[in-house]
């Protein structure tokens, strides 16, 4: 019995690994924090958008964020941060909502934009609820940082869309004369 992976989901798996390495090792050392969020928002939005446009399959966004979150679990558990498990769960639920919106929009631009808005606000809402119920803290919702984070994410999405357009129209076997 063998497990057969489809190319789109294998692409999503490799994209999640690349995103984790890029965000946690490269950008984490160079640009740890920007006003309104981290620089990793640009790269996450870029990789997710490019993967969706390239594969056009349901579940790609959920696979990327699931793998990304699962890779981070051992390091957080080693430091005693068990709350991270709830963060991964909220990330996957928000990514699934993002996936559903993009799927029902038939992978169009407006679906990516609306799905990303739902993803960001859903993630903030779930995390605020987790802070209140799990950590017994009053949740803080910072509208300025959320707005700047959305700007960084939309910048990454725009860049991914432009890269996708650039490579989409390349011919695979151009004639050599």
């Amino acid at each position: 019995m063998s497990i057969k992976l489809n190319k789109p989901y294998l692409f999503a798996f490799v994209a999640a690994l690349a995103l984790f390495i890029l965000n946690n090792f490269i950008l984490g050392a160079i640009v740890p924090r920007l006003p309104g969020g981290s620089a990793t928002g640009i790269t996450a939005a870029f990789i997710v958008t490019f993967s969706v446009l390239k594969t056009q399959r349901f579940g790609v966004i959920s696979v990327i964020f699931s793998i990304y979150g699962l890779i981070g679990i051992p390091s957080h558990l080693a430091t005693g941060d068990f709350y991270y498990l709830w963060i991964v769960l909220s990330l996957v639920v928000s990514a699934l909502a993002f996936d559903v919106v993009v799927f029902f929009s038939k992978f169009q631009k407006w679906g990516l934009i609306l799905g990303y808005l739902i993803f960001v606000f859903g993630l903030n809402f779930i995390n605020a609820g987790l802070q209140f119920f799990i950590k017994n803290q009053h949740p803080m919702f910072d509208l300025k940082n959320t707005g700047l984070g959305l700007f960084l994410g939309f910048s990454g999405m725009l860049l991914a869309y432009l890269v996708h357009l650039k490579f989409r129209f390349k011919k695979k076997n151009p004639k050599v004369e």
Side-chain angles (χ1 to χ4, degrees):
M1 177 180 216
S2 66
I3 298 173
K4 188 175 181 180
L5 262 174
N6 292 349
K7 284 184 183 177
Y9 299 109
L10 186 59
F11 184 86
F13 180 79
V14 171
L17 291 176
L19 181 63
F20 187 84
I21 290 168
L22 180 66
N23 283 353
N24 292 298
F25 297 112
I26 298 170
L27 285 179
I30 298 171
V31 187
R33 188 91 175 132
L34 289 175
S38 67
T40 60
I42 296 171
T43 57
F46 176 85
I47 287 180
V48 165
T49 303
F50 187 76
S51 299
V52 166
L53 292 172
K54 179 92 173 121
T55 61
Q56 295 196 351
R57 293 286 170 94
F58 177 75
V60 167
I61 299 169
S62 300
V63 167
I64 290 173
F65 283 115
S66 297
I67 298 299
Y68 186 87
L70 289 174
I71 293 171
I73 287 177
S75 62
H76 284 273
L77 292 182
T79 61
D81 183 14
F82 296 103
Y83 182 69
Y84 183 75
L85 296 172
W86 291 104
I87 298 295
V88 170
L89 182 64
S90 68
L91 183 68
V92 171
V93 167
S94 297
L96 186 60
F98 189 0
D99 247 337
V100 167
V101 171
V102 170
F103 177 73
F104 283 117
S105 75
K106 297 180 181 167
F107 305 99
Q108 293 180 2
K109 291 177 285 201
W110 67 267
L112 282 166
I113 293 168
L114 180 63
Y116 186 70
L117 283 170
I118 291 170
F119 172 74
V120 169
F121 285 108
L123 195 59
N124 281 332
F125 180 75
I126 292 171
N127 286 338
L130 288 174
Q131 275 185 334
F132 184 75
F133 290 112
I134 305 287
K135 286 188 163 184
N136 294 325
Q137 295 176 347
H138 189 272
M140 296 294 294
F141 185 75
D142 189 358
L143 195 56
K144 181 184 105 181
N145 280 341
T146 301
L148 288 171
L150 283 171
F151 174 74
L152 293 173
F154 285 133
S155 299
M157 290 176 79
L158 177 64
L159 185 62
Y161 183 71
L162 293 174
V163 168
H164 174 71
L165 285 179
K166 174 133 177 91
F167 292 113
R168 185 173 68 168
F169 297 113
K170 295 261 185 200
K171 292 185 178 183
K172 291 186 179 181
N173 295 323
K175 289 184 180 179
V176 177
E177 294 180 29

